[in-house]
Amino acid sequence: MGKKGKTDGTGEIICRNPKAEKNFEVEERLEAGLVLKGSEVKSLRAKHADLEGAYAGIENMELYLFHMHIGPYKQAGQFGHEEKRKRKLLVHKREIERLNGRVSMRGYALVPAKVYWKQGRAKVELVLGKGRKTHDD
């Protein structure tokens, strides 16, 4: 029997950001682990997540995901989570150092393309790219 939900070889997809590849010229893709609280895991399993307006950035030589919406988990009650808090991403330190140099260059951005499950862990696929210029034709 197959897995539930759509997959693309990486695992069960939780949510996608179609604008990531539409608005950016993709130069590189990077997989990062996502640090979550208990109620966030339950919400992700129910696919209550959205990447619209989300972006990744480096603060104090650590990689974070900003403005990703993870809906509330009703059974968590008062012990729930903040829906759009910044979430730490897990990557090797040398990757952060390399990305810091690239992102600091003009026009480059680090954008989440999708969130998915891989071997029971939440992962984020980040896209490093340059913003496309949109001209009226």
Side-chain angles (χ1 to χ4, degrees):
M1 296 277 185
K3 293 181 185 177
K4 291 181 182 178
K6 292 184 179 180
T7 63
D8 64 354
T10 54
E12 185 181 350
I13 297 171
I14 299 166
C15 62
R16 289 182 180 271
N17 182 1
K19 292 181 181 179
E21 294 186 32
K22 183 179 177 183
N23 296 343
F24 293 90
E25 293 178 28
V26 178
E27 290 190 13
E28 187 179 334
R29 294 178 187 275
L30 173 72
E31 180 181 83
L34 188 56
V35 177
L36 299 169
K37 293 183 177 181
S39 60
E40 292 174 327
V41 174
K42 295 282 192 175
S43 290
L44 284 182
R45 292 226 181 266
K47 297 190 180 193
H48 294 272
D50 187 16
L51 287 173
E52 187 175 334
Y55 63 95
I58 299 170
E59 279 186 5
N60 301 322
M61 291 310 289
E62 291 187 336
L63 190 59
Y64 289 95
L65 183 62
F66 298 93
H67 297 290
M68 176 187 172
H69 179 267
I70 297 179
Y73 182 64
K74 292 177 186 171
Q75 286 82 356
Q78 67 183 13
F79 302 105
H81 59 274
E82 187 181 331
E83 295 177 26
K84 286 198 173 187
R85 71 176 182 90
K86 76 176 180 182
R87 294 172 176 89
K88 188 173 180 179
L89 298 176
L90 303 173
V91 292
H92 291 283
K93 191 166 192 100
R94 65 181 175 272
E95 284 289 328
I96 295 173
E97 291 168 354
R98 189 180 60 77
L99 286 172
N100 195 27
R102 299 286 299 275
V103 173
S104 63
M105 294 169 59
R106 185 178 172 142
Y108 280 89
L110 204 50
V111 181
K114 64 183 172 182
V115 178
Y116 55 94
W117 294 109
K118 184 176 180 182
Q119 298 175 347
R121 292 184 166 86
K123 301 287 183 175
V124 178
E125 181 180 275
L126 297 173
V127 170
L128 177 69
K130 218 170 191 178
R132 291 185 194 230
K133 293 179 174 62
T134 55
H135 298 287
D136 294 330
D137 290 325

